[in-house]
Amino acid sequence: MSGPPSAALRLLRLLTKGKRRIEVEGDLLEGYEEWARTLGPARARLRVWREVALLLTWRLAGRVRLRRRSPGSPRTGSISPKRRDDWRGYVSDLSHDLGFASRRLSRSPGATLVAILILGAGVGGNATIFSIADALFREPPALVSSPHELVGLHAEYDEFGYYDFLYYREHGGAFRDLMAYGGLPGTQGRTPKSGGEVAVGRGDDLTQAQGWVVSANYFHFLGVPPLHGAGFSGRVGQSQAAQPEVVLSHGFWRRQFGGDPRVTGNPLYVNGVPFRIVGITPEEFRGINPTDRLPDLFIPIMAMGALIPDYEAGLRRYSPSGEPQGGRDLRLVGRLKPGMGWDAAEAEMASLQQRWEREFAEWADAVYGGPYQVRIRPEFRLTRGEARTMKRMLSFLWFVVGSVFLIACTNLALLMLARAAGREREMGIRASLGAGRGRFIRQLLAESLILAGLGGGLGVLVAFVATDAATEMLPATIAFDLNPDASVVGFSLLLSTLAALLFGTAPAWILSGVNVAQALGRTGQGRTRALFRGGLVAVQSAISVILLIVGGLFARSLQEARAVPLGFETENRILLSIRLDNHGYSDEEGMAFLTAARDRMAGVPGVRAVTAANRMPFQPRNHWDFVVPGTEYAEVGLYAGLNMVGADYLEVMGIPLVAGRSIGEADGPGTPWVVVVNRLFADRMWPGQNPLGRTITFAMEGEWRVVGVAENSTYWWLGEDPVPFVYFPLRQLFTGRMTFHVATLSRPMEVAREVERAMRDVDPNLAIAVSTVEARLDQQLASLRIWTAFVALFSLVALFLSMVGLYGVQSYLDGLLRAVAAQAYGGVAAAPTANAPPPGRPAQEGGRRPRFRLAPAGSWSRGP
Amino acid sequence: MDPSRVGEFEELVLLAVMAGGDNAYGVSVQRVLEEEIGRGPSLGAIYTALDRLSEKGWIRSRMGDPSPVRGGRRRRCYDLTEEGLARLREVRRIRESLWARGAPELGKEGVWG
């Protein structure tokens, strides 16, 4: 980890405001740089934490002094003399209670500390999950003005053409305005989730960047002014191909330009074309949908003509020659007119839909075989599928964390009960002196509140640290802000107060109905209390057993995931991904490059073999339904994965060949079309027959003859169900998006630099992404590993807590009973046991010692 | 408390602000004090002192330009006001005359110079 600790900065951000925040944050960042130079990064991080902690202490101290210094200030002066006396009396009572409570708590520091830790852990876990849920389901997008007015337009696929955008913008009676956004066209990922890739920069300084196309009014629509620069200058529908503009995301700007505000106005080379930088998005800007992965670049739709010839003609509903044309890859978001109710907006949409269908019936028939129904929906919520996945994940997390919290609370109750039991005599004396039940409860309440405050505070700190970890645990496609905000802090304190009150005061309530004579005479153990305690122990033991089982299952699945045979070699394989189409290569030039680069790389010392493929391992997911006459799949095709691979792909990746041959150097544009299928494909398509020599059809590209059968392997992700698969020769279905697979003789990273240099020798301007097969496998395992660690950790915490609970209560009561016995029998220090009941108590009642039996769950304990 | 009194820490911070020319800010004050005293006070303490000195009118502040090393954040620059400078002179005068009384030869050497 490097850089200043983000959790500390977040904590700071939560508690400071305005210019002071800018000043302090800046100072800390600058200080960190210096400390990192002089002390090293680790100590610099510690130093930042220290500064933040001290800063907050100073802030709190400053407040206290302010209040003390000015007793006659307007704040207290506004209270009338009489009320002030009441108020002071109340405060003095309260402060007396609190003072007494804190003295009592500090008298048993161990128990107090344990209680605070228990509360802190429980509250922290819940606050973490709360802030995730909060960010996903409730929190409106940052910076966007009046987000509640935003509605998404939805049809099947949820996407629209630019012509639809213009139509609704012109006619949409319910909308004040409309904007459109989508992934960069001409690339494989079209939805905002993946975002299209482009090569950015010039010469040696090339890098890949993700981009969106947006309508020119995008930022204006959202009410988000750029941090620097003036934003897009063009109007919606106006071509910008001659003077294309681009807005950079804050993250990209920091990464690429070191946060230099002077880049605005400068050109940014996108696929070699200069775009003028006209703005930087503010740091907090996250788009409007929490599951959208924010791109590096925002490019106006009407500026795409600068990259793709004839692009603008393709945006219209009819081509210049009058042919109806489709293409839907934009998401539309509208802003409802002020005062426009939901029902009215839906009615407007319905009538607009009718009009649309009348106007474009012919077009819709020609392009989509009929009209598509458009509905509207509040935008800043998740789509239904996403919400389902996230909800499932979150409810599981909440189950784990909530269980631990329940255990923590029962522990707390046991602890408080044990503490209170030790004070029965004291209560008895106070009661005999005339202290009311209310007073007694109030005092226990004060203790609980102190515990709640400290435990809740600890919980907030835990949440700050844990959300950092949680950000890494969430799927990479979800990029949103997990900052615990004021509402999370409020939630934590509320939760901890509730917990402390419920589980701290309930025992107190039971105890406060104390029988004076009995309490003064001896420590009694009512049946109610014994049942209560027994119930608590039973509950927490049961929960921790469940959690342990869940943890075990997770650990098991991780183990299995590791042991799964992948069907290909993972060691010593370098992956170099390029996008020739981004660099203006034609297919012929691309194939020439393929040969030249492969020969160059194969000559690098330490390289064993080189091949190329369209997709690399664990890169989902290219597939096709293969229809083959005369087989079971003559009507409904066989769903199969596919990849375009270079010569000797199977050999380089270590995938065994079952029959026939693999794709070779000779399989090119001029030779008969061939494929290699995997064993599962052959078994499904031609069960019990020889697949070699048979043909399949793919797309409208004619017939392909099966020349080989490869062993099944893993293609898209770890633990996938076996999938039928077809390998096409890369030279017969050429694509510029490819990854070179390089098998090396030694550790891959040692050779990677040389290999990359070899490729640069062929084309110095390429943007190359280097990885290894092992690294991709690790990525696959990472999320599973984190989940397992998380559940295992919580199971252990739960187990630990219930052990502490059992042990603590048992030993506390034992010690107590010994003391009582000593007192009762005139200094004879003998613990009463079940075999020797104290005199005056019927023997069949047994001892007072609580007994926990490992009997069927639920009957753990029995009172006397 | 006498609002015109210069606390010991306030004096150090004032001097550190003076040492920074008209470009003193939180971290720079901390750096100067760290160099001179050996162990720098926390930023929290420094901000508190700076706030108090501003309230007393002995220093004034303005927001500077954003810089990349600060993640694009602007810094607040402090410099002494006439009043602040007068206070410092006053403190120095008192100290020097006290030194002169107790140890005249040291006072003449100009410990505070």
Side-chain angles (χ1 to χ4, degrees):
Chain A
M1 221 198 268
S2 65
S6 56
L9 293 179
R10 258 193 262 152
L11 184 66
L12 183 78
R13 217 169 292 157
L14 195 67
L15 296 166
T16 54
K17 276 198 201 115
K19 286 189 176 166
R20 174 41 60 90
R21 180 197 290 180
I22 295 173
E23 176 189 4
V24 176
E25 269 183 351
D27 272 353
L28 280 175
L29 289 176
E30 191 177 336
Y32 172 81
E33 293 289 322
E34 190 177 315
W35 301 325
R37 260 200 318 277
T38 54
L39 307 170
R43 296 191 52 189
R45 289 170 63 84
L46 267 182
R47 175 85 189 253
V48 171
W49 267 111
R50 197 187 122 221
E51 292 289 359
V52 169
L54 286 172
L55 206 61
L56 301 178
T57 330
W58 271 95
R59 215 187 108 116
L60 294 177
R63 278 195 174 169
V64 170
R65 192 164 55 234
L66 200 72
R67 206 174 292 161
R68 270 194 200 149
R69 207 192 300 164
S70 50
S73 71
R75 196 185 296 192
T76 45
S78 64
I79 300 173
S80 70
K82 168 90 180 66
R83 278 201 50 210
R84 187 163 59 205
D85 285 349
D86 288 355
W87 181 72
R88 279 193 179 156
Y90 174 72
V91 167
S92 116
D93 256 16
L94 185 71
S95 66
H96 180 258
D97 274 352
L98 287 177
F100 185 65
S102 52
R103 278 198 300 282
R104 283 226 58 109
L105 286 174
S106 62
R107 214 174 289 169
S108 46
T112 307
L113 192 68
V114 169
I116 292 172
L117 286 179
I118 288 172
L119 265 175
V123 170
N126 278 277
T128 307
I129 308 293
F130 178 82
S131 54
I132 297 174
D134 191 51
L136 273 182
F137 298 116
R138 196 188 64 82
E139 198 172 77
L143 298 185
V144 172
S145 66
S146 314
H148 57 276
E149 290 176 352
L150 299 184
V151 291
L153 276 67
H154 299 272
E156 36 169 350
Y157 310 127
D158 284 349
E159 287 172 14
F160 298 86
Y162 194 68
Y163 40 79
D164 287 320
F165 167 63
L166 294 181
Y167 182 84
Y168 285 117
R169 196 154 186 269
E170 194 184 338
H171 299 286
F175 303 121
R176 185 143 52 107
D177 199 356
L178 213 69
M179 67 88 167
Y181 71 118
L184 281 183
T187 57
Q188 282 199 307
R190 280 179 174 240
T191 65
K193 265 186 214 318
S194 48
E197 271 182 8
V198 283
V200 167
R202 273 190 119 176
D204 286 339
D205 201 4
L206 268 178
T207 172
Q208 302 259 25
Q210 307 274 328
W212 280 3
V213 288
V214 297
S215 54
N217 64 342
Y218 180 81
F219 291 105
H220 182 256
F221 173 93
L222 295 176
V224 179
L227 186 64
H228 300 289
F232 297 131
S233 64
R235 283 202 313 276
V236 170
Q238 179 188 27
S239 172
Q240 281 201 321
Q243 285 157 325
E245 296 173 338
V246 62
V247 166
L248 313 182
S249 80
H250 195 273
F252 183 77
W253 172 60
R254 287 280 298 277
R255 275 201 310 282
Q256 207 65 19
F257 298 103
D260 184 355
R262 285 166 305 183
V263 297
T264 50
N266 289 358
L268 178 80
Y269 286 85
V270 180
N271 286 356
V273 178
F275 277 59
R276 203 161 70 88
I277 301 173
V278 294
I280 315 292
T281 62
E283 189 174 9
E284 293 91 335
F285 181 66
R286 291 280 181 284
I288 59 164
N289 193 328
T291 57
D292 283 348
R293 184 185 194 143
L294 211 64
D296 303 314
L297 313 175
F298 297 83
I299 298 175
I301 298 168
M302 296 302 278
M304 284 304 288
L307 292 180
I308 304 171
D310 294 327
Y311 178 74
E312 279 166 32
L315 291 177
R316 299 200 200 106
R317 206 181 286 275
Y318 295 97
S319 70
S321 59
E323 292 288 305
Q325 49 185 13
R328 291 193 282 169
D329 38 33
L330 294 174
R331 295 196 168 192
L332 301 192
V333 179
R335 195 181 271 287
L336 290 178
K337 279 180 179 163
M340 174 66 80
W342 192 247
D343 291 345
E346 276 186 322
E348 284 272 7
M349 277 311 288
S351 78
L352 190 62
Q353 173 79 17
Q354 284 176 355
R355 191 172 154 187
W356 185 92
E357 282 175 22
R358 275 199 306 278
E359 239 177 298
F360 300 117
E362 233 183 272
W363 173 87
D365 268 348
V367 178
Y368 291 113
Y372 41 87
Q373 286 284 331
V374 178
R375 293 200 175 77
I376 52 176
R377 205 170 55 210
E379 178 56 39
F380 59 88
R381 292 193 198 141
L382 303 170
T383 67
R384 218 178 292 163
E386 289 160 350
R388 238 193 337 258
T389 320
M390 288 308 297
K391 264 183 194 148
R392 221 178 298 147
M393 198 168 103
L394 280 175
S395 24
F396 174 72
L397 284 177
W398 219 316
F399 161 74
V400 173
V401 170
S403 309
V404 172
F405 189 54
L406 204 60
I407 293 182
C409 285
T410 51
N411 249 359
L412 196 64
L414 285 168
L415 204 71
M416 296 299 275
L417 193 66
R419 280 172 51 82
R423 290 160 63 183
E424 254 181 74
R425 267 180 76 84
E426 176 201 333
M427 294 308 153
I429 292 169
R430 297 178 79 186
S432 68
L433 290 176
R437 189 176 185 164
R439 180 76 202 174
F440 175 43
I441 289 181
R442 211 168 97 181
Q443 198 221 308
L444 283 161
L445 211 68
E447 280 181 30
S448 300
L449 280 179
I450 290 179
L451 287 180
L454 293 173
L458 183 66
V460 173
L461 281 182
V462 169
F464 268 101
V465 177
T467 43
D468 261 0
T471 315
E472 316 233 315
M473 200 161 86
L474 289 165
T477 51
I478 297 176
F480 58 88
D481 197 1
L482 283 181
N483 270 354
D485 54 12
S487 71
V488 176
V489 175
F491 171 80
S492 310
L493 292 180
L494 185 76
L495 195 65
S496 113
T497 309
L498 275 180
L501 287 187
L502 272 178
F503 289 86
T505 325
W509 183 262
I510 294 172
L511 268 183
S512 67
V514 77
N515 179 324
V516 174
Q518 196 190 28
L520 286 178
R522 57 190 189 194
T523 56
Q525 295 222 14
R527 190 169 174 73
T528 330
R529 218 174 313 138
L531 274 178
F532 184 64
R533 195 189 55 231
L536 289 181
V537 173
V539 165
Q540 66 173 207
S541 306
I543 298 173
S544 50
V545 166
I546 294 173
L547 277 183
L548 270 183
I549 292 172
V550 174
L553 287 176
F554 260 85
R556 187 65 192 273
S557 62
L558 180 67
Q559 213 176 16
E560 277 171 6
R562 275 200 186 136
V564 158
L566 294 171
F568 59 85
E569 299 282 332
T570 57
E571 276 185 3
N572 301 347
R573 299 292 192 284
I574 310 173
L575 300 165
L576 300 100
S577 302
I578 50 169
R579 299 286 307 269
L580 293 178
D581 46 346
N582 283 345
H583 296 275
Y585 274 76
S586 70
D587 283 3
E588 289 71 32
E589 289 163 344
M591 278 187 244
F593 174 87
L594 181 63
T595 313
R598 195 202 51 195
D599 292 349
R600 274 285 180 131
M601 286 190 276
V604 172
V607 169
R608 198 162 56 76
V610 183
T611 187
N614 170 236
R615 297 297 177 109
M616 53 186 153
F618 306 118
Q619 186 179 10
R621 138 175 123 155
N622 218 357
H623 56 87
W624 185 259
D625 290 327
F626 288 91
V627 177
V628 179
T631 68
E632 201 186 319
Y633 301 96
E635 297 288 325
V636 181
L638 174 64
Y639 173 93
L642 57 95
N643 196 358
M644 282 71 103
V645 302
D648 304 325
Y649 175 84
L650 298 179
E651 288 77 5
V652 172
M653 291 308 291
I655 302 172
L657 197 63
V658 179
R661 65 170 177 94
S662 75
I663 301 225
E665 188 63 44
D667 298 315
T671 59
W673 291 352
V674 296
V675 290
V676 169
V677 300
N678 74 350
R679 199 155 53 84
L680 187 64
F681 188 98
D683 288 348
R684 291 255 175 93
M685 192 62 90
W686 304 285
Q689 302 166 44
N690 183 3
L692 296 181
R694 295 181 187 272
T695 55
I696 59 172
T697 50
F698 172 61
M700 276 145 271
E701 306 272 359
E703 298 202 324
W704 303 75
R705 200 162 51 83
V706 177
V707 294
V709 179
E711 190 49 76
N712 301 332
S713 66
T714 306
Y715 306 98
W716 295 326
W717 51 76
L718 212 57
E720 72 191 8
D721 288 334
V723 56
F725 207 84
V726 182
Y727 299 94
F728 288 88
L730 181 58
R731 287 167 184 282
Q732 292 184 345
L733 268 182
F734 190 76
T735 159
R737 178 181 188 171
M738 63 172 93
T739 298
F740 281 89
H741 296 52
V742 181
T744 62
L745 297 168
S746 56
R747 298 301 303 158
M749 273 346 222
E750 291 164 17
V751 193
R753 192 170 289 272
E754 290 301 316
V755 172
E756 191 184 343
R757 193 168 300 149
M759 192 190 280
R760 287 217 187 280
D761 284 347
V762 184
D763 183 345
N765 292 326
L766 277 184
I768 306 172
V770 183
S771 173
T772 65
V773 174
E774 270 183 319
R776 292 188 67 81
L777 178 63
D778 274 350
Q779 264 171 24
Q780 289 280 311
L781 283 169
S783 65
L784 190 59
R785 212 177 275 155
I786 293 168
W787 275 86
T788 310
F790 176 82
V791 178
L793 180 76
F794 270 83
S795 318
L796 285 178
V797 169
L799 186 71
F800 176 73
L801 282 179
S802 30
M803 283 189 329
V804 168
L806 276 174
Y807 177 80
V809 173
Q810 181 87 45
S811 63
Y812 191 94
L813 289 178
D814 274 0
L816 195 68
L817 287 171
R818 233 171 251 129
V820 170
Q823 211 172 20
Y825 304 119
V828 181
T833 66
N835 298 337
R841 263 181 93 96
Q844 67 268 26
E845 274 189 26
R848 270 185 230 113
R849 183 185 178 125
R851 288 171 304 162
F852 302 109
R853 288 191 195 139
L854 276 168
S859 61
W860 287 70
S861 157
R862 267 199 5 225
Chain B
M1 202 203 293
D2 177 11
S4 66
R5 203 181 79 86
V6 186
E8 190 197 1
F9 186 60
E10 288 178 350
E11 184 187 344
L12 289 175
V13 172
L14 272 178
L15 288 166
V17 168
M18 187 163 69
D22 55 356
N23 260 327
Y25 54 100
V27 171
S28 85
V29 168
Q30 189 186 37
R31 190 161 39 212
V32 168
L33 292 179
E34 204 164 279
E35 282 162 12
E36 290 297 329
I37 306 173
R39 191 164 162 249
S42 78
L43 284 174
I46 290 171
Y47 292 132
T48 314
L50 287 173
D51 284 351
R52 209 162 49 220
L53 293 171
S54 300
E55 270 170 39
K56 290 178 175 177
W58 296 346
I59 57 174
R60 61 181 161 237
S61 68
R62 65 193 155 76
M63 293 306 276
D65 293 327
S67 75
V69 71
R70 298 167 68 87
R73 287 168 190 78
R74 298 192 293 162
R75 65 168 59 127
R76 185 191 285 276
C77 297
Y78 297 88
D79 62 321
L80 284 189
T81 60
E82 286 301 314
E83 169 94 16
L85 198 59
R87 288 287 152 210
L88 272 183
R89 287 216 181 91
E90 172 76 8
V91 170
R92 179 176 171 170
R93 191 191 57 74
I94 294 171
R95 296 213 164 175
E96 273 178 359
S97 77
L98 283 173
W99 270 96
R101 276 191 195 199
E105 65 286 359
L106 279 182
K108 270 177 218 128
E109 282 168 18
V111 172
W112 300 94

